[in-house]
Amino acid sequence: MAQKPSIPKGTRDFLPADVARRSYVINTIKTQFERYGFLPIETPSMEKSASLLGKYGEEGDRLMFHVLNSGEKVKKADVAALAENKLGLFTQSISEKALRYDLTVPFARFVVQHQNELNFPFKRYQVQSVWRADRPQRGRFQEFTQCDADVVGAVSPILEAECIQLFDAVFHSLDLKDATIRINHRCILSGIATYLGAPDRITDFTVALDKLDKIGAAGVFDELKQKGFGEDALAKLTPLIALSGPIEKQLDTLESLLSDQPLAVEGIAHLRHVLRFVSPLNASNLAFDLTLARGLNYYTGIIYEVAPPQKVALGSIGAGGRYDDLTALFGLKDMHGLGISFGLDRLCMVLEELDLYPKTLQQAVDVVVLHFGDEFMQELMPHIIGWRAKGVRVFTYPTTHKLKKQMQFANQSNAPWALFYGEEEQKKKVISLKNMVDGATEKISIDTIDASLFIR
Amino acid sequence: MAQKPSIPKGTRDFLPADVARRSYVINTIKTQFERYGFLPIETPSMEKSASLLGKYGEEGDRLMFHVLNSGEKVKKADVAALAENKLGLFTQSISEKALRYDLTVPFARFVVQHQNELNFPFKRYQVQSVWRADRPQRGRFQEFTQCDADVVGAVSPILEAECIQLFDAVFHSLDLKDATIRINHRCILSGIATYLGAPDRITDFTVALDKLDKIGAAGVFDELKQKGFGEDALAKLTPLIALSGPIEKQLDTLESLLSDQPLAVEGIAHLRHVLRFVSPLNASNLAFDLTLARGLNYYTGIIYEVAPPQKVALGSIGAGGRYDDLTALFGLKDMHGLGISFGLDRLCMVLEELDLYPKTLQQAVDVVVLHFGDEFMQELMPHIIGWRAKGVRVFTYPTTHKLKKQMQFANQSNAPWALFYGEEEQKKKVISLKNMVDGATEKISIDTIDASLFIR
């Protein structure tokens, strides 16, 4: 016998129950994307290498999956480059395409390529696989699904507020309470850097600040000292990291502390503007978080990050922010953007852990029709066709196996109903319908059996 | 300015209108798959090369996309093999993974790998991309979507009848009339080959027969003569290819002609058995087609092929058949299967050509809310949040552009409604709602605006 087959490390097979759960989350996200005016697009799995290389830094280039040129073209392999250990050059000599590494760069390419076919401001969503040759570990895979929504071609606090509403709507739909939507603003961080007397060291201080949760204020101060921040700067920072209370109050305190920093004042005013459009929501799950500094190399305005409920020990389940000039990479300038993204795998893990999947997801079939012989099945067939036309999911057991085996199948399929039609039922002109949950069986006249039997 | 970006040949970007149409077809197919008891699975885009190579013949190996090993691993390139023009060996030295070439082999691998987790008979459906390095042409792409349903672990005429019902149900749902479902049976073809005195030349005669539509009976006879079939054989073939009329009548004629051929008689009896389960359908679109001989190297029983309505000049839009021992490739024997597949791209082309897409697909947004200033948008926001929560797809125009520009956007978005709330409306405590189809505008009290406004 051949060796038991397997799949590449970091990839996954999804069994029916997995697909049901993932589809539930994806469809919930898509539905909300559409309610917020986002339209779906799809891009090819393979992009030209030239479109992707150099767009994700050195790490991205290293983790990209390259697709070999097909057929005779591999003959052009640059063996000299290989001998000189110039692996990038060697790769380029035998590969012109790479697998999508994220959805953002292909989206930028798409906007530039199709700019004359799009209706701006253009809100698009995209739910597709991406591939990264990362070392696999819990929750990290080499093929995974991203769920992104972006708007390009307009800058407005309404759009930024709607991203917050959209996060909230998705979590509400998933019955996921206590996810925290954290916001910050790039300009506030820049203002603070200047306030601390280190305008060009925003990264140093945000990297330290980001660890506040883990190492506490003392730890952050130690790290900043090592990086050369003086006592004066640390004294200034103390009240900033002590901010607490309602979001509006935090912004008030921040504004009074940073009143001499025009950039920070601008960022605070902008967040207030955004909040005015969010206020109809119960914003108890919305927090200002000064330590939030993700994507500082591309976010230029508001920054979002969503944390799962505290009892689930997992990283962020959503993120996003405002960025400028994304499409400049492909030659189209001044196309500003704002985007958010849901982490599908982590979101699924959170729902699993909190047992939030609807129980009905386990029922992929409504009724299993047991098989007592050809003639019985033939008599039932017109009914079965009618039920299916009305939306009932019917599994007709295909062969006359022993009843025990058929019932075992019905049990394992989680179908709520099993239908019996054999000699006894034929005589009495009835069907027997067994409720697989409570075990009760009822006999129903064959003249009155319609699809509503199974949808109750 | 950089060069306008593009995508690899044979791949496609899907704009929102494309995605809407494709999703409509895919969702229709999935819905019917589920009503027939099929459960969804997904497999990784990349399989180990060892799982795929050699499974699709020489052509398949040639057209497979190989994924380059990442990082340092390309150093293991077998330069000697390259120098000796052993391209397969060279490829294997730098690549261990390939992109999915179809959904059938990965399904076989899946069944073997997960055999202890599955509930047999196992009906699965799978709608995923596959990749082939084929020369692109009209309707043929390097990345395309397959929609497959297969059942393994049971052999039954009910299953075969249900495949016909399923084809019919999908086309009915798509409002696609006059698609013809053609069936044939491998055993009938084998019986005829024996009847013609050439039991080992089934391929020769089916290849010629397949051209009946194009070159007529005379052409077929010429070709068979060249291939060495005698006058006697051709005389025997004449009444067979003249078969016409209702499917049952054709089978009667066939049976009387082939009564000495046990294999053919068995095949005919099997088709009759299948037809008994199909008869509740109006089977006017079901035809027996002796010339149908697809996949003879793997189909072992019934064979299906679906032709689009005659006025559309396109090849088959669906196909399938019974096969034996698919999973033997991966070491699991006696797992018989039956499968059908829908050609998504061709199906979309047929619907496009016959103008069968529902008009509502063009409406991705229900209402565009025009923007006359922050204060108006803030007052509307609680209503907008409420509408969205009820399922209305709302596009809030993000900035106060000139009305003309905003209306242009609303027009191009195909939204059925545009909503105005500015100074005049604020005073009168109304909104103005413009029907974008007939141009009529009504004023509605702001106290009575709810989601039902947009769903009528």
Side-chain angles (χ1 to χ4, degrees):
Chain A
M1 186 167 144
Q3 207 189 340
K4 197 171 177 186
S6 61
I7 51 178
K9 65 167 187 172
T11 69
R12 291 167 286 175
D13 278 331
F14 296 109
L15 274 79
D18 303 320
V19 177
R21 285 191 288 261
R22 289 168 63 84
S23 299
Y24 163 71
V25 177
I26 288 174
N27 289 337
T28 302
I29 294 173
K30 281 185 178 176
T31 298
Q32 295 298 340
F33 280 167
E34 292 180 1
R35 291 182 186 175
Y36 279 81
F38 292 90
L39 309 179
I41 71 161
E42 290 178 13
T43 62
S45 300
M46 301 185 286
E47 292 274 348
K48 291 185 169 175
S49 305
S51 298
L52 302 186
L53 285 170
K55 304 292 197 298
Y56 304 99
E58 186 269 330
E59 191 192 28
D61 285 356
R62 194 163 42 79
L63 299 183
M64 208 168 280
F65 278 114
H66 300 275
V67 178
L68 208 56
N69 293 339
S70 47
E72 300 281 298
K73 284 194 197 156
V74 293
K75 284 186 185 168
K76 293 189 181 158
D78 186 345
V79 180
L82 181 66
E84 292 168 31
N85 210 22
K86 292 176 179 163
L87 301 185
L89 217 57
F90 174 66
T91 297
Q92 284 174 49
S93 71
I94 49 175
S95 162
E96 288 163 1
K97 294 188 279 278
L99 293 177
R100 198 166 43 213
Y101 187 80
D102 76 352
L103 303 180
T104 308
V105 170
F107 172 55
R109 193 265 311 144
F110 177 98
V111 169
V112 178
Q113 191 173 332
H114 301 284
Q115 53 187 290
N116 298 324
E117 304 158 73
L118 303 177
N119 193 17
F120 291 100
F122 182 56
K123 288 174 115 170
R124 87 86 172 79
Y125 75 83
Q126 195 170 353
V127 177
Q128 290 194 282
S129 296
V130 303
W131 294 267
R132 296 182 187 178
D134 236 330
R135 207 164 53 81
Q137 51 178 263
R138 179 177 132 91
R140 192 203 279 165
F141 305 96
Q142 294 203 338
E143 174 174 23
F144 57 100
T145 303
Q146 289 193 333
C147 310
D148 283 17
D150 289 79
V151 47
V152 289
V155 173
S156 155
I158 292 183
L159 295 172
E160 293 168 16
E162 286 183 328
C163 284
I164 296 171
Q165 296 169 11
L166 177 48
F167 274 128
D168 186 73
V170 167
F171 299 132
H172 188 81
S173 292
L174 293 172
D175 202 24
L176 178 62
K177 296 170 186 79
D178 305 324
T180 310
I181 305 168
R182 296 188 188 137
I183 59 171
N184 196 1
H185 199 288
R186 162 76 183 230
C187 291
I188 297 177
L189 290 170
S190 299
I192 293 175
T194 307
Y195 178 61
L196 300 184
D200 52 345
R201 299 185 54 196
I202 180 168
T203 307
D204 277 348
F205 109 85
T206 53
V207 165
L209 209 55
D210 187 43
K211 298 178 188 162
L212 185 63
D213 262 4
K214 286 178 203 136
I215 60 176
V220 170
F221 281 16
D222 277 351
E223 182 166 329
L224 287 174
K225 262 184 224 165
Q226 282 170 25
K227 286 183 176 166
F229 283 77
E231 290 295 338
D232 181 46
L234 299 184
K236 282 177 164 177
L237 193 57
T238 304
L240 291 176
I241 63 176
L243 284 178
S244 71
I247 188 163
E248 292 284 0
K249 190 173 147 269
Q250 289 190 39
L251 292 180
D252 288 345
T253 311
L254 203 61
E255 195 169 16
S256 64
L257 290 168
L258 298 172
S259 56
D260 289 341
Q261 301 300 328
L263 255 184
V265 170
E266 189 186 311
I268 294 165
H270 187 86
L271 288 188
R272 285 191 203 282
H273 198 165
V274 171
L275 290 175
R276 283 203 290 278
F277 291 103
V278 179
S279 55
L281 287 179
N282 170 6
S284 68
N285 60 344
L286 180 64
F288 173 72
D289 184 351
L290 194 64
T291 71
L292 175 58
R294 71 153 46 225
L296 271 190
N297 48 339
Y298 45 96
Y299 289 139
T300 54
I302 195 167
I303 306 169
Y304 309 99
E305 187 171 274
V306 186
Q310 282 199 317
K311 55 189 154 184
V312 184
L314 266 176
S316 68
I317 52 178
R322 157 126 350 249
Y323 48 81
D324 287 333
D325 260 357
L326 177 72
T327 57
L329 294 168
F330 295 102
L332 180 65
K333 287 190 182 160
D334 296 324
M335 185 65 84
H336 302 304
L338 171 72
I340 63 171
S341 183
F342 288 87
L344 180 67
D345 289 303
R346 285 217 191 127
L347 208 41
C348 287
M349 288 161 86
V350 170
L351 295 188
E352 181 80 40
E353 207 157 312
L354 299 177
D355 197 19
L356 291 179
Y357 286 116
K359 294 290 166 281
T360 49
L361 289 185
Q362 293 168 17
Q363 298 173 355
V365 160
D366 297 307
V367 55
V368 174
V369 176
L370 304 177
H371 192 147
F372 297 98
D374 257 20
E375 68 168 296
F376 308 112
M377 288 309 253
Q378 278 175 41
E379 285 180 32
L380 277 182
M381 201 45 88
H383 297 284
I384 293 173
I385 290 173
W387 301 333
R388 283 174 167 156
K390 289 268 168 60
V392 183
R393 295 165 304 173
V394 184
F395 191 104
T396 50
Y397 200 87
T399 50
T400 54
H401 280 137
K402 284 195 177 139
L403 183 58
K404 191 180 162 191
K405 189 168 177 181
Q406 295 195 41
M407 281 305 287
Q408 215 166 29
F409 176 89
N411 262 319
Q412 283 181 16
S413 76
N414 284 316
W417 304 101
L419 189 153
F420 300 67
Y421 183 70
E423 216 162 317
E424 192 196 325
E425 284 84 5
Q426 191 184 41
K427 266 186 215 149
K428 295 184 180 161
K429 297 190 175 167
V430 297
I431 57 151
S432 297
L433 195 59
K434 183 178 175 116
N435 181 321
M436 298 294 281
V437 181
D438 64 18
T441 301
E442 48 189 328
K443 295 204 187 302
I444 300 160
S445 163
I446 201 152
D447 299 326
T448 65
I449 50 174
D450 66 19
S452 63
L453 273 183
F454 312 104
I455 308 169
R456 52 173 165 163
Chain B
M1 188 165 145
Q3 209 188 340
K4 199 170 176 187
S6 61
I7 52 179
K9 65 167 186 171
T11 69
R12 290 166 287 174
D13 279 329
F14 296 110
L15 275 77
D18 304 320
V19 176
R21 286 191 288 261
R22 290 168 63 85
S23 299
Y24 163 71
V25 177
I26 289 174
N27 290 337
T28 301
I29 294 172
K30 282 186 178 177
T31 298
Q32 295 298 340
F33 281 167
E34 292 181 1
R35 291 183 186 176
Y36 279 81
F38 292 90
L39 309 180
I41 71 160
E42 290 178 13
T43 63
S45 302
M46 301 185 287
E47 292 273 349
K48 289 183 171 178
S49 306
S51 296
L52 302 187
L53 285 170
K55 304 293 196 300
Y56 304 99
E58 185 268 327
E59 193 194 25
D61 285 357
R62 194 164 41 81
L63 299 183
M64 209 168 280
F65 278 114
H66 300 276
V67 178
L68 206 58
N69 293 338
S70 46
E72 301 280 301
K73 285 193 195 157
V74 294
K75 284 186 185 169
K76 293 187 183 160
D78 186 345
V79 180
L82 180 67
E84 291 168 31
N85 210 21
K86 293 177 179 164
L87 301 186
L89 216 58
F90 174 65
T91 297
Q92 284 174 49
S93 70
I94 49 175
S95 162
E96 289 164 1
K97 295 187 281 278
L99 293 178
R100 197 164 47 214
Y101 188 80
D102 76 353
L103 302 180
T104 308
V105 171
F107 173 54
R109 192 265 311 144
F110 177 98
V111 169
V112 178
Q113 189 172 333
H114 301 284
Q115 54 187 288
N116 298 324
E117 305 158 71
L118 303 177
N119 193 19
F120 290 101
F122 182 55
K123 290 174 114 168
R124 86 86 170 79
Y125 76 84
Q126 195 170 352
V127 177
Q128 290 194 282
S129 296
V130 303
W131 294 266
R132 295 182 188 180
D134 236 331
R135 207 164 52 83
Q137 50 179 262
R138 180 177 131 92
R140 192 203 280 165
F141 305 96
Q142 295 204 338
E143 174 173 23
F144 57 101
T145 303
Q146 288 193 333
C147 309
D148 282 19
D150 289 78
V151 48
V152 290
V155 174
S156 157
I158 293 184
L159 295 172
E160 292 167 16
E162 286 184 327
C163 285
I164 295 171
Q165 296 168 11
L166 177 48
F167 274 129
D168 186 73
V170 167
F171 299 133
H172 188 81
S173 292
L174 294 173
D175 201 23
L176 178 61
K177 296 170 186 79
D178 306 323
T180 310
I181 304 168
R182 297 189 186 136
I183 59 173
N184 195 1
H185 198 288
R186 163 76 183 231
C187 292
I188 297 177
L189 290 170
S190 298
I192 293 176
T194 308
Y195 178 61
L196 299 184
D200 53 346
R201 298 184 55 197
I202 179 169
T203 306
D204 277 349
F205 109 85
T206 53
V207 164
L209 210 55
D210 186 43
K211 299 179 188 162
L212 186 62
D213 264 4
K214 287 180 202 137
I215 60 177
V220 171
F221 282 16
D222 277 350
E223 181 164 330
L224 288 174
K225 263 185 223 164
Q226 283 171 23
K227 286 183 176 164
F229 283 78
E231 288 295 338
D232 181 43
L234 298 184
K236 282 177 164 177
L237 194 56
T238 305
L240 292 175
I241 63 175
L243 284 178
S244 70
I247 188 162
E248 293 283 2
K249 190 173 149 270
Q250 290 191 40
L251 292 180
D252 289 345
T253 312
L254 204 61
E255 194 167 19
S256 63
L257 291 167
L258 298 172
S259 56
D260 290 341
Q261 301 301 328
L263 254 184
V265 170
E266 190 187 308
I268 293 164
H270 187 85
L271 288 187
R272 286 191 201 283
H273 198 164
V274 171
L275 290 176
R276 284 204 289 280
F277 291 104
V278 178
S279 55
L281 285 181
N282 169 9
S284 66
N285 59 344
L286 181 64
F288 173 72
D289 184 352
L290 194 65
T291 71
L292 175 59
R294 71 154 46 226
L296 270 189
N297 48 341
Y298 46 95
Y299 289 138
T300 54
I302 195 166
I303 306 170
Y304 310 98
E305 187 171 272
V306 186
Q310 283 198 316
K311 56 188 155 183
V312 184
L314 267 176
S316 69
I317 51 178
R322 156 120 3 244
Y323 48 83
D324 287 334
D325 259 357
L326 176 73
T327 56
L329 293 168
F330 295 101
L332 180 66
K333 287 189 183 158
D334 296 324
M335 185 64 83
H336 302 303
L338 172 72
I340 63 170
S341 183
F342 288 87
L344 180 66
D345 289 304
R346 285 216 190 129
L347 209 41
C348 287
M349 286 161 85
V350 170
L351 296 188
E352 180 80 41
E353 207 159 311
L354 298 177
D355 197 19
L356 290 179
Y357 286 115
K359 293 290 167 281
T360 49
L361 289 185
Q362 294 168 16
Q363 298 173 354
V365 160
D366 297 308
V367 54
V368 174
V369 175
L370 304 178
H371 191 146
F372 297 99
D374 257 21
E375 68 166 297
F376 307 112
M377 290 308 258
Q378 279 176 41
E379 286 181 31
L380 277 182
M381 201 46 88
H383 298 283
I384 293 173
I385 290 174
W387 300 333
R388 283 173 168 155
K390 289 267 167 59
V392 182
R393 297 165 303 172
V394 184
F395 192 103
T396 50
Y397 200 88
T399 49
T400 53
H401 280 137
K402 282 193 178 141
L403 183 59
K404 193 181 161 192
K405 189 166 178 182
Q406 295 195 41
M407 282 305 288
Q408 215 166 28
F409 177 89
N411 263 318
Q412 285 182 14
S413 77
N414 283 316
W417 304 101
L419 189 154
F420 301 67
Y421 184 70
E423 215 163 320
E424 193 195 324
E425 283 84 4
Q426 191 185 40
K427 264 187 217 150
K428 296 183 181 162
K429 297 190 176 167
V430 296
I431 57 150
S432 298
L433 194 59
K434 183 178 176 116
N435 181 321
M436 297 295 281
V437 181
D438 64 17
T441 300
E442 48 189 327
K443 295 203 186 306
I444 299 160
S445 162
I446 201 150
D447 299 325
T448 64
I449 51 175
D450 66 20
S452 64
L453 273 184
F454 311 105
I455 309 169
R456 50 171 168 166

